[in-house]
Protein backbone atom coordinates (compact mmCIF):
# COMPACT_ATOMS: atom_id res chain seq x y z
CA UNK A 1 0.00 0.00 0.00
CA UNK A 2 1.26 3.46 -0.91
CA UNK A 3 2.14 5.95 1.86
CA UNK A 4 -1.03 7.83 2.66
CA UNK A 5 -0.22 11.54 3.02
CA UNK A 6 -3.70 12.27 4.22
CA UNK A 7 -3.46 9.98 7.20
CA UNK A 8 -5.53 11.90 9.76
CA UNK A 9 -4.34 13.09 13.15
CA UNK A 10 -6.94 10.83 14.67
CA UNK A 11 -5.11 7.73 13.52
CA UNK A 12 -1.73 8.64 15.01
CA UNK A 13 -2.55 11.63 17.17
CA UNK A 14 0.82 12.99 18.17
CA UNK A 15 2.64 12.25 14.95
CA UNK A 16 -0.35 13.58 13.12
CA UNK A 17 -0.02 16.95 14.85
CA UNK A 18 3.61 17.17 13.97
CA UNK A 19 3.00 16.18 10.42
CA UNK A 20 0.27 18.71 9.88
CA UNK A 21 1.29 22.18 11.08
CA UNK A 22 -1.81 23.96 9.88
CA UNK A 23 -4.19 21.64 11.71
CA UNK A 24 -1.98 21.57 14.86
CA UNK A 25 -1.95 25.33 15.37
CA UNK A 26 -5.36 25.65 16.99
CA UNK A 27 -4.59 22.67 19.23
CA UNK A 28 -1.27 24.15 20.34
CA UNK A 29 -2.96 27.48 20.93
CA UNK A 30 -5.71 25.79 22.93
CA UNK A 31 -3.14 23.90 24.95
CA UNK A 32 -1.24 27.13 25.62
CA UNK A 33 -4.45 28.81 26.79
CA UNK A 34 -5.23 25.88 29.10
CA UNK A 35 -1.72 25.90 30.50
CA UNK A 36 -1.64 29.67 30.95
CA UNK A 37 -5.05 29.69 32.57
CA UNK A 38 -4.07 26.85 34.90
CA UNK A 39 -0.85 28.69 35.75
CA UNK A 40 -2.80 31.90 36.33
CA UNK A 41 -5.26 30.12 38.63
CA UNK A 42 -2.48 28.41 40.58
CA UNK A 43 -0.49 31.64 40.80
CA UNK A 44 -3.52 33.48 42.10
CA UNK A 45 -4.47 30.62 44.45
CA UNK A 46 -1.11 30.75 46.21
CA UNK A 47 -1.56 34.47 46.92
CA UNK A 48 -4.90 34.02 48.69
CA UNK A 49 -4.61 34.42 52.45
CA UNK A 50 -6.15 31.55 54.39
CA UNK A 51 -7.23 33.84 57.21
CA UNK A 52 -7.94 37.57 57.38
CA UNK A 53 -4.87 38.17 59.51
CA UNK A 54 -2.52 35.72 57.87
CA UNK A 55 0.82 37.49 57.20
CA UNK A 56 1.25 38.87 53.63
CA UNK A 57 2.04 36.23 51.03
CA UNK A 58 5.15 36.35 48.84
CA UNK A 59 4.12 34.39 45.75
CA UNK A 60 6.53 32.22 43.85
CA UNK A 61 6.92 31.96 40.07
CA UNK A 62 6.43 28.22 40.43
CA UNK A 63 3.20 28.27 42.45
CA UNK A 64 3.32 26.42 45.80
CA UNK A 65 6.56 24.62 44.93
CA UNK A 66 8.97 27.45 44.12
CA UNK A 67 9.90 28.49 47.66
CA UNK A 68 10.42 24.91 48.82
CA UNK A 69 12.59 24.24 45.76
CA UNK A 70 14.50 27.47 46.46
CA UNK A 71 15.22 26.34 50.01
CA UNK A 72 16.30 22.90 48.87
CA UNK A 73 18.54 24.24 46.12
CA UNK A 74 19.95 27.36 47.77
CA UNK A 75 19.91 26.37 51.44
CA UNK A 76 19.68 29.10 54.07
CA UNK A 77 20.64 31.82 51.59
CA UNK A 78 17.20 31.60 49.95
CA UNK A 79 15.13 32.72 52.95
CA UNK A 80 17.82 35.12 54.17
CA UNK A 81 17.73 36.95 50.82
CA UNK A 82 13.93 36.92 50.61
CA UNK A 83 13.91 38.68 53.97
CA UNK A 84 16.54 41.21 52.91
CA UNK A 85 14.66 41.92 49.64
CA UNK A 86 11.46 42.62 51.60
CA UNK A 87 12.59 44.79 54.50
CA UNK A 88 9.12 46.33 54.80
CA UNK A 89 7.65 42.95 55.84
CA UNK A 90 8.36 41.98 59.47
CA UNK A 91 6.73 38.62 58.76
CA UNK A 92 5.55 36.98 55.56
CA UNK A 93 3.97 33.80 54.27
CA UNK A 94 5.57 31.37 51.84
CA UNK A 95 2.98 29.10 50.25
CA UNK A 96 3.98 25.43 50.21
CA UNK A 97 2.17 22.29 49.04
CA UNK A 98 -0.79 21.84 51.43
CA UNK A 99 0.83 24.12 54.00
CA UNK A 100 2.50 27.46 54.73
CA UNK A 101 5.86 28.59 56.02
CA UNK A 102 5.81 31.84 57.99
CA UNK A 103 9.09 33.74 58.01
CA UNK A 104 9.77 36.24 60.79
CA UNK A 105 12.45 38.85 60.10
CA UNK A 106 11.64 41.46 62.75
CA UNK A 107 13.66 40.92 65.94
CA UNK A 108 10.98 42.38 68.21
CA UNK A 109 8.23 40.31 66.62
CA UNK A 110 10.48 37.25 67.02
CA UNK A 111 10.87 37.98 70.74
CA UNK A 112 7.11 38.34 71.19
CA UNK A 113 6.28 35.20 69.22
CA UNK A 114 8.73 33.06 71.14
CA UNK A 115 7.06 34.18 74.38
CA UNK A 116 3.67 32.77 73.33
CA UNK A 117 2.42 29.72 75.25
CA UNK A 118 3.72 26.38 73.99
CA UNK A 119 0.12 25.43 73.26
CA UNK A 120 0.24 27.97 70.36
CA UNK A 121 3.77 27.76 68.94
CA UNK A 122 6.24 25.10 69.98
CA UNK A 123 9.40 23.41 68.77
CA UNK A 124 8.81 20.15 70.63
CA UNK A 125 6.34 18.54 68.19
CA UNK A 126 9.17 18.63 65.64
CA UNK A 127 11.80 16.98 67.87
CA UNK A 128 10.75 13.33 67.32
CA UNK A 129 10.77 13.85 63.53
CA UNK A 130 14.08 15.71 63.49
CA UNK A 131 15.94 13.38 65.86
CA UNK A 132 14.58 10.28 64.16
CA UNK A 133 16.02 11.43 60.85
CA UNK A 134 19.27 12.96 62.04
CA UNK A 135 20.18 10.37 64.66
CA UNK A 136 18.46 7.34 63.10
CA UNK A 137 16.43 6.58 66.25
CA UNK A 138 14.26 3.46 66.21
CA UNK A 139 10.43 3.61 66.52
CA UNK A 140 10.49 2.62 70.20
CA UNK A 141 12.83 5.47 71.12
CA UNK A 142 10.81 7.92 69.06
CA UNK A 143 7.72 6.80 70.94
CA UNK A 144 9.50 7.33 74.28
CA UNK A 145 10.69 10.83 73.42
CA UNK A 146 7.23 11.78 72.17
CA UNK A 147 5.79 11.34 75.69
CA UNK A 148 5.23 14.31 78.05
CA UNK A 149 7.50 16.61 76.09
CA UNK A 150 6.19 19.94 77.47
CA UNK A 151 4.85 19.00 80.93
CA UNK A 152 2.93 21.56 82.99
CA UNK A 153 3.77 21.74 86.72
CA UNK A 154 2.63 18.56 88.47
CA UNK A 155 2.43 16.51 85.27
CA UNK A 156 4.74 13.54 84.48
CA UNK A 157 8.09 14.70 83.09
CA UNK A 158 9.12 13.00 79.85
CA UNK A 159 12.62 12.13 78.67
CA UNK A 160 13.19 15.34 76.71
CA UNK A 161 12.09 17.66 79.47
CA UNK A 162 14.22 15.83 82.06
CA UNK A 163 17.28 15.90 79.80
CA UNK A 164 16.81 19.60 78.95
CA UNK A 165 16.64 20.50 82.65
CA UNK A 166 19.84 18.58 83.37
CA UNK A 167 21.80 20.24 80.55
CA UNK A 168 20.48 23.72 81.41
CA UNK A 169 21.43 23.36 85.07
CA UNK A 170 24.89 21.97 84.25
CA UNK A 171 25.82 24.66 81.76
CA UNK A 172 24.41 27.67 83.62
CA UNK A 173 27.12 30.00 85.00
CA UNK A 174 28.19 28.66 88.37
CA UNK A 175 30.34 26.05 90.04
CA UNK A 176 29.53 23.10 87.75
CA UNK A 177 30.16 25.06 84.58
CA UNK A 178 33.38 26.53 86.00
CA UNK A 179 34.54 22.98 86.74
CA UNK A 180 33.92 21.97 83.13
CA UNK A 181 35.68 25.09 81.87
CA UNK A 182 38.73 24.26 84.00
CA UNK A 183 38.66 20.85 82.32
CA UNK A 184 38.69 22.52 78.90
CA UNK A 185 41.57 24.78 80.00
CA UNK A 186 43.58 21.76 81.11
CA UNK A 187 43.00 19.99 77.80
CA UNK A 188 43.86 23.10 75.74
CA UNK A 189 47.07 23.53 77.72
CA UNK A 190 48.16 20.06 76.70
CA UNK A 191 46.95 20.24 73.11
CA UNK A 192 47.84 23.82 72.17
CA UNK A 193 50.87 24.02 74.44
CA UNK A 194 52.17 20.74 73.05
CA UNK A 195 51.66 21.58 69.41
CA UNK A 196 54.87 21.63 67.39
CA UNK A 197 54.42 23.68 64.21
CA UNK A 198 55.07 21.99 60.90
CA UNK A 199 57.20 23.61 58.23
CA UNK A 200 54.42 23.38 55.67
CA UNK A 201 51.20 25.33 55.36
CA UNK A 202 48.24 23.82 57.19
CA UNK A 203 44.45 24.22 56.93
CA UNK A 204 43.32 26.54 59.73
CA UNK A 205 39.82 25.07 60.11
CA UNK A 206 41.07 21.49 60.47
CA UNK A 207 43.79 22.58 62.89
CA UNK A 208 41.51 24.58 65.19
CA UNK A 209 38.57 22.20 65.15
CA UNK A 210 40.87 19.34 66.15
CA UNK A 211 41.73 21.21 69.37
CA UNK A 212 38.05 21.79 70.14
CA UNK A 213 36.93 18.25 69.27
CA UNK A 214 39.60 16.51 71.31
CA UNK A 215 39.34 18.86 74.31
CA UNK A 216 35.53 18.63 74.40
CA UNK A 217 35.48 14.84 74.02
CA UNK A 218 38.02 14.45 76.84
CA UNK A 219 36.40 17.01 79.08
CA UNK A 220 32.91 15.47 78.83
CA UNK A 221 33.72 11.80 78.23
CA UNK A 222 37.07 11.39 79.97
CA UNK A 223 40.47 10.36 78.76
CA UNK A 224 39.12 7.06 77.43
CA UNK A 225 36.40 8.87 75.45
CA UNK A 226 34.84 7.17 72.41
CA UNK A 227 35.83 9.87 69.91
CA UNK A 228 39.56 10.25 70.26
CA UNK A 229 40.68 7.36 72.46
CA UNK A 230 38.99 4.50 70.61
CA UNK A 231 41.31 1.98 68.99
CA UNK A 232 39.55 2.55 65.70
CA UNK A 233 41.16 5.15 63.41
CA UNK A 234 39.40 7.99 61.67
CA UNK A 235 36.53 8.60 64.09
CA UNK A 236 37.24 12.32 64.16
CA UNK A 237 36.88 12.41 60.36
CA UNK A 238 33.70 10.36 60.68
CA UNK A 239 32.40 13.00 63.09
CA UNK A 240 32.91 15.81 60.54
CA UNK A 241 31.41 13.72 57.76
CA UNK A 242 28.32 13.27 59.89
CA UNK A 243 28.26 17.02 60.52
CA UNK A 244 28.61 17.95 56.85
CA UNK A 245 25.77 15.69 55.75
CA UNK A 246 23.36 16.58 58.51
CA UNK A 247 21.14 18.58 56.15
CA UNK A 248 20.92 15.57 53.82
CA UNK A 249 19.93 13.27 56.69
CA UNK A 250 17.32 15.78 57.81
CA UNK A 251 15.78 16.22 54.38
CA UNK A 252 16.24 12.62 53.28
CA UNK A 253 14.69 10.94 56.31
CA UNK A 254 16.08 7.64 57.43
CA UNK A 255 14.60 6.58 60.72
CA UNK A 256 15.25 3.21 62.32
CA UNK A 257 18.94 3.24 61.55
CA UNK A 258 18.66 5.06 58.24
CA UNK A 259 16.79 4.02 55.14
CA UNK A 260 17.76 3.86 51.52
CA UNK A 261 16.76 7.48 51.00
CA UNK A 262 19.00 8.90 53.71
CA UNK A 263 21.81 6.65 52.55
CA UNK A 264 21.44 8.14 49.10
CA UNK A 265 21.23 11.81 50.15
CA UNK A 266 23.92 11.70 52.77
CA UNK A 267 25.78 8.45 52.40
CA UNK A 268 28.94 9.65 54.05
CA UNK A 269 27.11 11.34 56.90
CA UNK A 270 25.13 8.18 57.48
CA UNK A 271 28.26 6.03 57.51
CA UNK A 272 30.08 8.49 59.76
CA UNK A 273 27.19 8.57 62.21
CA UNK A 274 26.88 4.82 62.38
CA UNK A 275 30.62 4.43 63.04
CA UNK A 276 30.36 6.94 65.88
CA UNK A 277 27.29 5.21 67.30
CA UNK A 278 29.14 1.88 67.34
CA UNK A 279 32.15 3.47 69.06
CA UNK A 280 29.98 5.08 71.75
CA UNK A 281 28.01 1.87 72.22
CA UNK A 282 31.25 -0.07 72.79
CA UNK A 283 32.36 2.61 75.24
CA UNK A 284 29.08 2.28 77.16
CA UNK A 285 29.29 -1.52 77.16
CA UNK A 286 32.76 -1.31 78.67
CA UNK A 287 31.42 1.01 81.37
CA UNK A 288 33.27 4.06 80.03
CA UNK A 289 30.62 6.39 81.46
CA UNK A 290 31.16 5.03 84.96
CA UNK A 291 34.81 6.07 85.09
CA UNK A 292 35.86 8.70 87.56
CA UNK A 293 36.99 11.29 85.04
CA UNK A 294 33.58 11.40 83.34
CA UNK A 295 31.61 14.39 84.73
CA UNK A 296 28.21 13.87 86.39
CA UNK A 297 26.32 15.43 83.47
CA UNK A 298 27.21 12.55 81.12
CA UNK A 299 26.66 9.90 83.81
CA UNK A 300 23.21 11.38 84.46
CA UNK A 301 22.37 11.63 80.76
CA UNK A 302 23.00 7.90 80.35
CA UNK A 303 21.07 7.15 83.54
CA UNK A 304 18.05 9.17 82.39
CA UNK A 305 17.95 7.49 78.97
CA UNK A 306 18.16 3.99 80.50
CA UNK A 307 15.49 4.89 83.05
CA UNK A 308 13.16 5.87 80.21
CA UNK A 309 13.70 2.46 78.58
CA UNK A 310 16.21 3.32 75.85
CA UNK A 311 18.25 0.46 74.41
CA UNK A 312 22.03 0.88 74.73
CA UNK A 313 22.57 1.52 71.03
CA UNK A 314 19.97 4.27 71.18
CA UNK A 315 21.68 5.80 74.24
CA UNK A 316 24.81 5.90 72.09
CA UNK A 317 22.86 7.90 69.49
CA UNK A 318 21.81 10.40 72.14
CA UNK A 319 25.42 10.84 73.27
CA UNK A 320 26.57 11.35 69.67
CA UNK A 321 24.08 14.24 69.56
CA UNK A 322 25.54 15.74 72.76
CA UNK A 323 29.06 15.48 71.42
CA UNK A 324 27.81 17.14 68.28
CA UNK A 325 26.15 20.02 70.17
CA UNK A 326 29.28 20.53 72.27
CA UNK A 327 31.81 20.53 69.44
CA UNK A 328 30.54 21.70 66.06
CA UNK A 329 29.56 25.35 66.55
CA UNK A 330 32.26 26.04 69.10
CA UNK A 331 34.90 24.68 66.71
CA UNK A 332 33.79 26.73 63.70
CA UNK A 333 33.37 29.90 65.77
CA UNK A 334 36.89 29.42 67.17
CA UNK A 335 38.20 29.11 63.63
CA UNK A 336 36.61 32.42 62.58
CA UNK A 337 37.80 34.11 65.76
CA UNK A 338 41.42 33.10 65.31
CA UNK A 339 41.30 34.00 61.61
CA UNK A 340 39.82 37.46 62.15
CA UNK A 341 42.29 38.30 64.92
CA UNK A 342 45.48 37.06 63.28
CA UNK A 343 44.62 38.56 59.92
CA UNK A 344 44.35 42.08 61.34
CA UNK A 345 47.61 43.30 62.88
CA UNK A 346 45.88 46.14 64.76
CA UNK A 347 43.26 43.89 66.32
CA UNK A 348 45.87 41.25 67.14
CA UNK A 349 47.96 43.84 68.99
CA UNK A 350 44.93 45.07 70.95
CA UNK A 351 43.86 41.54 71.90
CA UNK A 352 47.36 40.62 73.06
CA UNK A 353 47.62 43.88 75.03
CA UNK A 354 44.24 43.29 76.67
CA UNK A 355 45.30 39.78 77.67
CA UNK A 356 48.47 41.16 79.19
CA UNK A 357 50.37 37.90 78.93
CA UNK A 358 53.66 39.35 77.72
CA UNK A 359 55.00 40.36 81.13
CA UNK A 360 58.10 38.85 82.69
CA UNK A 361 56.35 35.83 84.23
CA UNK A 362 57.67 32.32 84.05
CA UNK A 363 54.55 31.03 82.25
CA UNK A 364 52.05 32.43 79.76
CA UNK A 365 49.31 33.61 82.07
CA UNK A 366 46.30 35.80 81.47
CA UNK A 367 43.12 36.67 83.28
CA UNK A 368 40.16 36.27 80.97
CA UNK A 369 37.71 37.96 83.33
CA UNK A 370 36.51 41.32 81.96
CA UNK A 371 38.34 40.87 78.65
CA UNK A 372 35.63 42.63 76.70
CA UNK A 373 37.39 42.94 73.34
CA UNK A 374 37.84 39.20 73.00
CA UNK A 375 34.21 38.60 73.87
CA UNK A 376 33.19 41.21 71.27
CA UNK A 377 35.30 39.33 68.69
CA UNK A 378 33.45 36.11 69.48
CA UNK A 379 30.04 37.76 69.25
CA UNK A 380 30.85 39.43 65.94
CA UNK A 381 32.07 36.10 64.51
CA UNK A 382 28.80 34.54 65.63
CA UNK A 383 26.71 37.34 64.11
CA UNK A 384 28.43 37.04 60.74
CA UNK A 385 28.58 33.25 60.79
CA UNK A 386 25.10 32.37 61.95
CA UNK A 387 22.18 32.06 59.52
CA UNK A 388 20.38 29.80 61.95
CA UNK A 389 16.57 29.54 62.03
CA UNK A 390 14.49 29.15 65.15
CA UNK A 391 11.67 26.90 64.09
CA UNK A 392 8.26 26.48 65.66
CA UNK A 393 5.17 24.59 64.60
CA UNK A 394 1.62 25.96 64.93
CA UNK A 395 0.16 23.56 67.49
CA UNK A 396 -3.67 23.94 67.27
CA UNK A 397 -4.90 21.95 64.25
CA UNK A 398 -7.50 24.59 63.45
CA UNK A 399 -4.85 27.34 63.37
CA UNK A 400 -4.25 30.08 65.89
CA UNK A 401 -4.96 33.78 66.15
CA UNK A 402 -2.48 35.66 68.30
CA UNK A 403 -2.16 39.28 69.29
CA UNK A 404 1.34 40.69 69.33
CA UNK A 405 1.88 44.32 70.27
CA UNK A 406 -1.69 45.24 69.39
CA UNK A 407 -1.64 43.49 66.00
CA UNK A 408 -3.50 40.29 65.16
CA UNK A 409 -1.82 37.41 63.32
CA UNK A 410 -3.42 34.20 62.15
CA UNK A 411 -1.35 31.06 61.51
CA UNK A 412 -2.52 27.84 59.85
CA UNK A 413 -2.50 24.74 62.07
CA UNK A 414 0.52 22.48 61.54
CA UNK A 415 2.38 25.18 59.55
CA UNK A 416 5.94 26.12 60.36
CA UNK A 417 7.09 29.49 61.73
CA UNK A 418 10.75 30.26 61.15
CA UNK A 419 12.62 33.14 62.74
CA UNK A 420 15.27 33.97 60.18
CA UNK A 421 18.49 34.62 62.07
CA UNK A 422 20.27 35.06 58.73
CA UNK A 423 18.10 38.02 57.74
CA UNK A 424 18.21 39.56 61.21
CA UNK A 425 22.02 39.34 61.30
CA UNK A 426 22.45 40.74 57.77
CA UNK A 427 19.92 43.57 57.96
CA UNK A 428 21.21 47.14 57.64
CA UNK A 429 18.30 48.34 59.75
CA UNK A 430 19.54 46.25 62.66
CA UNK A 431 23.30 46.69 62.31
CA UNK A 432 23.91 49.74 60.11
CA UNK A 433 25.31 50.32 56.62
CA UNK A 434 28.52 48.42 57.46
CA UNK A 435 26.53 45.29 58.34
CA UNK A 436 28.70 43.06 56.13
CA UNK A 437 31.95 44.14 57.77
CA UNK A 438 33.64 42.47 60.72
CA UNK A 439 33.51 45.12 63.46
CA UNK A 440 33.77 43.73 66.97
CA UNK A 441 33.48 47.24 68.36
CA UNK A 442 29.73 47.17 67.70
CA UNK A 443 29.52 44.80 70.69
CA UNK A 444 31.53 47.18 72.85
CA UNK A 445 28.99 49.96 72.48
CA UNK A 446 26.24 48.15 74.32
CA UNK A 447 25.03 46.03 71.41
CA UNK A 448 21.39 45.13 71.33
CA UNK A 449 21.14 41.38 71.88
CA UNK A 450 17.60 41.56 70.56
CA UNK A 451 19.17 41.52 67.07
CA UNK A 452 21.48 38.62 67.90
CA UNK A 453 20.13 35.15 67.20
CA UNK A 454 23.22 32.93 67.02
CA UNK A 455 22.05 30.98 70.08
CA UNK A 456 18.40 30.83 69.00
CA UNK A 457 15.86 32.07 71.51
CA UNK A 458 12.92 31.28 73.76
CA UNK A 459 12.16 27.59 74.05
CA UNK A 460 15.22 26.61 71.99
CA UNK A 461 17.75 29.06 73.44
CA UNK A 462 21.08 27.22 73.51
CA UNK A 463 21.82 26.00 77.05
CA UNK A 464 25.55 25.87 76.20
CA UNK A 465 25.87 29.54 75.18
CA UNK A 466 27.84 30.85 78.17
CA UNK A 467 30.08 27.81 78.18
CA UNK A 468 30.67 28.14 74.42
CA UNK A 469 31.59 31.85 74.55
CA UNK A 470 34.01 31.17 77.41
CA UNK A 471 35.63 28.28 75.51
CA UNK A 472 36.04 30.20 72.25
CA UNK A 473 37.56 33.17 74.11
CA UNK A 474 39.97 30.85 75.88
CA UNK A 475 41.01 29.10 72.69
CA UNK A 476 41.63 32.35 70.78
CA UNK A 477 43.57 33.76 73.74
CA UNK A 478 45.82 30.70 73.97
CA UNK A 479 46.42 30.35 70.23
CA UNK A 480 47.26 34.01 69.57
CA UNK A 481 49.59 34.29 72.53
CA UNK A 482 51.46 31.06 71.86
CA UNK A 483 51.79 31.29 68.07
CA UNK A 484 52.51 33.67 65.23
CA UNK A 485 50.10 32.80 62.42
CA UNK A 486 50.38 34.06 58.85
CA UNK A 487 47.28 33.69 56.70
CA UNK A 488 48.35 32.64 53.22
CA UNK A 489 46.92 35.23 50.81
CA UNK A 490 45.89 37.42 53.76
CA UNK A 491 42.22 37.26 52.87
CA UNK A 492 39.08 36.36 54.77
CA UNK A 493 36.91 34.14 52.53
CA UNK A 494 33.15 34.39 52.08
CA UNK A 495 30.91 32.05 54.02
CA UNK A 496 29.27 29.03 52.43
CA UNK A 497 25.66 30.07 52.95
CA UNK A 498 24.14 27.68 50.38
CA UNK A 499 23.66 24.94 52.98
CA UNK A 500 20.93 24.18 55.47
CA UNK A 501 21.95 26.57 58.27
CA UNK A 502 22.02 24.07 61.09
CA UNK A 503 25.35 25.34 62.39
CA UNK A 504 27.84 28.21 62.12
CA UNK A 505 28.77 28.60 58.46
CA UNK A 506 32.11 27.38 57.20
CA UNK A 507 34.29 29.28 54.68
CA UNK A 508 33.71 28.85 50.95
CA UNK A 509 37.43 28.24 50.41
CA UNK A 510 40.09 26.56 52.49
CA UNK A 511 42.18 28.94 54.61
CA UNK A 512 45.84 27.93 54.72
CA UNK A 513 48.20 29.30 57.37
CA UNK A 514 51.85 29.17 58.39
CA UNK A 515 52.30 28.68 62.11
CA UNK A 516 55.40 29.34 64.21
CA UNK A 517 55.96 29.51 67.95
CA UNK A 518 55.89 33.08 69.26
CA UNK A 519 56.23 32.40 72.97
CA UNK A 520 58.15 29.30 74.08
CA UNK A 521 56.96 29.45 77.68
CA UNK A 522 54.50 26.91 79.03
CA UNK A 523 50.90 27.86 79.64
CA UNK A 524 50.11 28.85 83.21
CA UNK A 525 46.71 29.78 84.55
CA UNK A 526 44.43 31.52 82.08
CA UNK A 527 41.75 32.30 84.63
CA UNK A 528 38.94 30.98 82.49
CA UNK A 529 35.67 32.34 83.79
CA UNK A 530 31.99 31.49 83.65
CA UNK A 531 31.15 35.20 83.49
CA UNK A 532 30.32 36.50 80.05
CA UNK A 533 28.73 39.77 79.05
CA UNK A 534 25.34 38.30 78.13
C1 LIG B 1 29.32 28.82 69.51
C2 LIG B 1 28.78 27.71 69.94
C3 LIG B 1 27.32 27.36 69.91
C4 LIG B 1 26.31 27.88 69.15
C5 LIG B 1 26.39 28.97 68.09
C6 LIG B 1 25.10 27.17 69.51
C7 LIG B 1 23.85 27.41 68.96
C8 LIG B 1 22.71 26.73 69.29
C9 LIG B 1 21.41 26.98 68.73
C10 LIG B 1 21.09 28.04 67.69
C11 LIG B 1 20.54 26.12 69.29
C12 LIG B 1 19.04 26.05 69.05
C13 LIG B 1 18.75 25.18 67.89
C14 LIG B 1 17.31 25.30 67.50
O1 LIG B 1 16.69 26.36 67.60
O2 LIG B 1 16.80 24.30 67.02
C15 LIG B 1 21.29 25.29 70.21
C16 LIG B 1 20.74 24.27 70.97
C17 LIG B 1 21.48 23.49 71.82
N1 LIG B 1 22.79 23.65 72.16
FE1 LIG B 1 24.07 25.02 71.41
N2 LIG B 1 25.39 26.25 70.48
C18 LIG B 1 26.74 26.35 70.76
C19 LIG B 1 27.44 25.60 71.68
C20 LIG B 1 26.91 24.63 72.48
C21 LIG B 1 27.65 23.86 73.46
C22 LIG B 1 29.14 24.04 73.75
C23 LIG B 1 26.77 22.98 74.01
C24 LIG B 1 26.98 21.92 75.06
C25 LIG B 1 28.08 21.64 75.64
C26 LIG B 1 25.48 23.20 73.39
C27 LIG B 1 24.34 22.48 73.67
C28 LIG B 1 23.13 22.68 73.07
C29 LIG B 1 21.97 21.83 73.32
C30 LIG B 1 21.91 20.63 74.27
C31 LIG B 1 20.93 22.35 72.55
C32 LIG B 1 19.51 21.81 72.44
C33 LIG B 1 18.64 22.58 73.40
C34 LIG B 1 17.22 22.08 73.45
O3 LIG B 1 16.59 21.94 72.40
O4 LIG B 1 16.72 21.89 74.57
N3 LIG B 1 25.60 24.21 72.48
N4 LIG B 1 22.60 25.69 70.21
Amino acid sequence: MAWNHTSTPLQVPLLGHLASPSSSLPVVAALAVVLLTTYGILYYAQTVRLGKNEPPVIPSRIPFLGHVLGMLLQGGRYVKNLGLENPHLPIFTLPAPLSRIYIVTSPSLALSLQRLPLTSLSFTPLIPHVTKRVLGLNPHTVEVISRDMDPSPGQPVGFLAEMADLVRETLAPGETMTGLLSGMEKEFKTLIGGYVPEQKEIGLLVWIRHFVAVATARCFYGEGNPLTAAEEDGLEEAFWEFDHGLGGLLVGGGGGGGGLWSGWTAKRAYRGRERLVKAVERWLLEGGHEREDVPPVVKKRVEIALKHGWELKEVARSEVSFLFAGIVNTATTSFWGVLQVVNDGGLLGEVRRELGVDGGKEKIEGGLRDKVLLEAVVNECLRLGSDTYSTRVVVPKEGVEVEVKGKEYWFKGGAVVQISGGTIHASKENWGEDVREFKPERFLKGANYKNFRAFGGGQTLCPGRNFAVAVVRLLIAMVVTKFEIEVVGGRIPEKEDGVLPVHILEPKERVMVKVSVRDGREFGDFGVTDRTGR
Side-chain angles (χ1 to χ4, degrees), residues 409-447:
Y409 293 97
W410 181 86
F411 300 120
K412 180 179 159 58
V416 158
V417 177
Q418 275 186 350
I419 298 168
S420 172
T423 309
I424 293 174
H425 289 157
S427 146
K428 287 183 183 166
E429 272 177 37
N430 297 338
W431 298 97
E433 285 300 316
D434 57 2
V435 65
R436 285 175 63 84
E437 288 171 40
F438 176 79
K439 288 200 159 175
E441 54 274 25
R442 49 178 117 239
F443 283 94
L444 295 174
K445 298 181 216 143

Side-chain angles (χ1 to χ4, degrees), residues 120-140:
S120 300
L121 296 184
S122 176
F123 178 66
T124 32
L126 293 169
I127 296 179
H129 305 285
V130 172
T131 48
K132 174 182 155 193
R133 285 159 182 257
V134 170
L135 297 175
L137 299 179
N138 73 25
H140 171 254

Side-chain angles (χ1 to χ4, degrees), residues 487-528:
V487 180
V488 178
R491 231 173 37 82
I492 308 274
E494 292 284 310
K495 281 158 190 96
E496 179 48 270
D497 61 357
V499 293
L500 209 66
V502 284
H503 44 209
I504 298 300
L505 302 176
E506 291 190 359
K508 265 193 177 144
E509 301 147 37
R510 245 177 10 141
V511 176
M512 302 303 289
V513 292
K514 287 184 197 151
V515 181
S516 56
V517 173
R518 163 179 183 269
D519 191 331
R521 291 176 297 166
E522 266 179 41
F523 281 124
D525 188 4
F526 252 79
V528 67

